[in-house]
Amino acid sequence: MKEQTENELISESSRDRVIVRTSVVGILVNVLLAAFKAVIGIMSNSIAVILDAVNNLSDALSSIITIVGTKLAGKLPDRKHPLGYGRIEYLSAMIVSGIVLYAGITAAVESVKKIIEPQTPEYSVTSIVIIAVAVIVKIGLGKYVKGQGEKVNSGALVASGADALFDAVLSASVLACALIFIFTGYSLEAYVGALISVFIIKAGIEMMIEMVNEILGIRADKEKTARIKNLLKEEPEVRGAYDLIMYNYGPEKDFASVHIELPDYMTAREIDRLTRRLERKIYRKTGVILAGVGLYSYNTTDDSASVIQKDVLSLVTEHDWCVQMHGFYVDPEEKEMSFDVVLSFDIEPKKGVSIIHEELLKKYPDYRIEITPDVDVSD
């Protein structure tokens, strides 16, 4: 997801208008193209042109699904869904990718049938011109829809735009086959249709995998998480920002939780003021809602604590599977120390903590040691 400053954040209502307007344009263009191609395909007895017309109709259906998905995703939160319906857009994008996949499989089946039982096509000058115009229109439509989708972060529009560009390649292949047949008498459209259908199927699978990953939850954008942490650390009281976890409930509906490290002398009132200020700052500059801010305290009065921390850090980071240590606090009088370790996915958390705990007990047998394992989410 691209970074957006306060002035670049698109309002939800404006975003919905862009998606609906773009989808309506796609519906009108695809219906017109489908009508022209259907007539040409029937008149010229061309399976490739007829399949191309069916593909345009599937694109129109995809645009309708995108509009419905956008409208449903824009519903206000209610008691049952307090965080809204934004994730419906991911489901609508999956449906669009399913249509793309179905169109590719259908094209492959029909092309193979025509390879087994070939039929001689009959092209006219008018049909050639219309197919050529369709290629140009599809390229323009694909770039427009995909560009608008990237602008407003709509997976469904991006998928529809990519599909339109693939359709342009398919139409160009049909045009090339028609010209080859006119000048040489060889009919290659069934073979080319089979080849192109493979690329369409591949595109549909890739779109579907991308949307499944969005629903399951993927690692947050590294630049965005780094920016949020840097914004937090700009405050003089914040020594570090850790355990940043981002999760969303639809495009442009990002939430996050984070731990910040503060000096041990701050009062509850001072921390309250700071966290409220940080929440406003992060939302204003990134559009991300800080839903939870956890706290770590660090020693400020005991010099021996710094020596112990450096010793513990050296021991912990000797292990390749330990990504980071943070949130360290030690009380030499009470003989207590606590900290978090970020573990890679190469080791089970329970095992990693056990190894570190045993090693520390050998050096600090009188201490009660509390180690909390963290997952490598954004580091």
Side-chain angles (χ1 to χ4, degrees), residues 173-239:
S173 301
V174 173
L175 176 62
C177 290
L179 293 174
I180 291 172
F181 177 77
I182 290 174
F183 290 106
T184 67
Y186 290 103
S187 178
L188 302 175
E189 61 172 26
Y191 295 95
V192 172
L195 178 62
I196 295 300
S197 66
V198 173
F199 290 98
I200 295 176
I201 291 171
K202 179 176 179 291
I205 292 174
E206 289 174 349
M207 293 175 197
M208 188 169 290
I209 290 174
E210 182 179 354
M211 287 304 105
V212 169
N213 286 336
E214 288 287 353
I215 293 172
L216 290 176
I218 58 176
R219 184 179 295 275
D221 179 73
K222 188 175 182 179
E223 291 183 4
K224 189 162 193 173
T225 56
R227 186 184 180 204
I228 291 174
K229 289 180 179 179
N230 289 333
L231 287 170
L232 293 170
K233 290 186 288 186
E234 284 178 355
E235 301 297 321
E237 302 93 339
V238 180
R239 189 171 76 168

Side-chain angles (χ1 to χ4, degrees), residues 273-341:
R273 288 173 177 167
L274 173 64
T275 55
R276 290 176 187 272
R277 187 167 69 248
L278 290 174
E279 289 167 359
R280 291 193 297 268
K281 179 180 180 180
I282 297 302
Y283 181 74
R284 189 175 66 250
K285 292 184 176 293
T286 69
V288 175
I289 298 172
L290 275 184
V293 180
L295 303 176
Y296 294 126
S297 63
Y298 64 87
N299 298 90
T300 59
T301 58
D302 194 331
D303 293 336
S304 64
S306 178
V307 176
I308 296 175
Q309 180 179 5
K310 290 180 180 178
D311 185 42
V312 172
L313 177 63
S314 176
L315 186 149
V316 169
T317 53
E318 284 182 356
H319 301 287
D320 294 337
W321 37 262
C322 182
V323 179
Q324 184 188 82
M325 184 189 90
H326 58 257
F328 183 88
Y329 193 86
V330 62
D331 188 335
E333 293 184 2
E334 297 293 332
K335 298 296 183 181
E336 295 178 349
M337 75 168 69
S338 60
F339 59 90
D340 290 11
V341 286

Side-chain angles (χ1 to χ4, degrees), residues 37-52:
K37 290 178 182 179
V39 172
I40 294 172
I42 294 172
M43 292 177 61
S44 62
N45 192 31
S46 171
I47 179 61
V49 177
I50 293 175
L51 288 176
D52 209 6

Side-chain angles (χ1 to χ4, degrees), residues 114-134:
K114 292 302 177 184
I115 291 174
I116 297 173
E117 299 179 3
Q119 295 181 1
T120 303
E122 297 177 3
Y123 294 104
S124 65
V125 175
T126 303
S127 63
I128 296 297
V129 172
I130 292 177
I131 295 173
V133 172

Side-chain angles (χ1 to χ4, degrees), residues 149-161:
E150 292 173 346
K151 178 181 177 181
V152 299
N153 191 28
S154 169
L157 280 186
V158 172
S160 295

